[in-house]
Amino acid sequence: MADERLRLGVNIDHVATLRNARGGALPDPVRAALMAQEAGADGITAHLREDRRHIRDDDIWALMEATSVPLNFEMAATDEMQRIALRHKPHAVCIVPEKREERTTEGGLDVAKDERQLADFITPLRDAGCRVSLFVAADRAQIDSAARIGAAVVELHTGAYCDFVAEGETAKASAELGRLREMSAHAHSLGLEVHAGHGLSYDTVQSVAAFPELRELNIGHFLIGEAVFCGLTEAIAEMRRLMDEARA
Ligand code: PXP
């Protein structure tokens, strides 16, 4: 299993964050997506937030028009986002929790609590041919619920692990990594495809990439930040190299 090539989805949201800081058209997220594709990204990820703080509606069309790799459309479970997803029919839809006041996606979905609503919500997306993923913490109850409602994928939230590493909380980081590893195996045993993402950097990617069941990582903020110093192509190439090394 570990020899299957781990896919890298590059999240280009924060190119749009920079663009929106000045309100113009530059830097262009589509240009970043094309560059990422050229550099070996297996997919492009973009999160259309309710407040449109980075990606805007027209970016989704433009990304789908311009790129040839699959688009992973991140969205909250709202009627508005469902309508947009059904209009575009991207390759993949990743449902994430969203709070207006948060700086980034802080936790995973509470699939266990909202099981019936989420089941109804994802059915039309699945019927439209979108691969539906649920963004969850490394929590057995959430993963069991995701499997019960027929999600194809769970994306495990690596944010807590990455925060512990950044804060030098070694014991907590190791405990969280253990939970992620265990839940990756558990999700796979239930027939779910396993992805992971949030907060990953060169320092944290390898320990997660080594989970044998993992099929895809979605990485954004670190790569766009690193691109300021070495360019997007080089940042993606180095991430790819680290991922491949971890799988070897
Ligand atoms: N995966 C999901 C579901 C996300 O919501 C995000 C952030 O938008 C990412 C991955 C990428 O996180 P980061 O930008 O911290 O790499």
Side-chain angles (χ1 to χ4, degrees):
M1 220 181 333
D3 53 8
E4 277 185 57
R5 190 174 189 260
L6 181 60
R7 294 191 299 264
L8 171 62
V10 173
N11 180 317
I12 44 80
D13 290 350
H14 296 299
V15 177
T17 303
L18 270 184
R19 175 195 62 191
N20 296 359
R22 285 291 170 96
L26 302 175
D28 179 6
V30 172
R31 184 174 171 201
L34 289 170
M35 211 173 212
Q37 180 178 290
E38 189 68 21
D42 302 290
I44 298 298
T45 294
H47 183 180
L48 184 66
R49 294 186 79 103
E50 188 197 0
D51 62 8
R52 312 306 199 259
R53 71 176 70 158
H54 36 59
I55 294 295
R56 302 190 296 231
D57 299 59
D58 52 350
D59 291 326
I60 299 295
W61 271 129
L63 286 166
M64 288 188 67
E65 283 283 309
T67 56
S68 54
V69 292
L71 179 73
N72 176 31
F73 178 60
E74 285 184 10
M75 56 177 247
T78 65
D79 292 344
E80 183 201 19
M81 288 301 152
Q82 191 190 56
R83 271 195 304 279
I84 294 170
L86 290 173
R87 204 178 312 136
H88 293 298
K89 298 190 177 57
H91 166 79
V93 165
C94 179
I95 316 287
V96 301
E98 209 176 288
K99 294 191 220 97
R100 225 171 234 275
E101 63 279 13
E102 71 190 354
R103 254 188 281 173
T104 182
T105 311
E106 279 166 6
L109 281 171
D110 197 343
V111 195
K113 177 167 143 276
D114 301 326
E115 192 169 314
R116 197 170 301 161
Q117 278 156 279
L118 277 169
D120 291 344
F121 186 83
I122 68 172
T123 299
L125 296 167
R126 226 179 25 206
D127 291 350
C130 302
R131 183 195 70 188
V132 176
S133 166
L134 302 179
F135 190 43
V136 294
D139 179 307
R140 190 175 291 268
Q142 304 301 341
I143 291 164
D144 290 350
S145 288
R148 264 198 302 276
I149 68 173
V153 177
V154 281
E155 179 163 333
L156 299 175
H157 197 315
T158 51
Y161 166 63
C162 295
D163 286 347
F164 289 139
V165 170
E167 291 156 10
E169 296 272 12
T170 319
K172 288 182 182 168
S174 154
E176 181 63 16
L177 186 65
R179 272 191 290 277
L180 286 162
R181 188 184 297 111
E182 194 186 332
M183 288 306 113
S184 167
H186 179 61
H188 179 74
S189 76
L190 298 177
L192 289 157
E193 184 171 309
V194 188
H195 299 178
H198 208 282
L200 292 169
S201 66
Y202 295 155
D203 289 340
T204 48
V205 72
Q206 289 198 303
S207 46
V208 177
F211 301 166
E213 307 81 12
L214 204 71
R215 297 303 320 279
E216 181 173 312
L217 289 176
N218 284 298
I219 308 180
H221 183 266
F222 175 82
L223 286 174
I224 304 305
E226 194 61 13
V228 171
F229 303 106
C230 68
L232 191 55
T233 302
E234 198 176 315
I236 291 171
E238 176 61 5
M239 191 61 82
R240 181 81 256 170
R241 189 189 69 73
L242 290 167
M243 286 164 60
D244 291 344
E245 189 178 83
R247 304 289 274 188

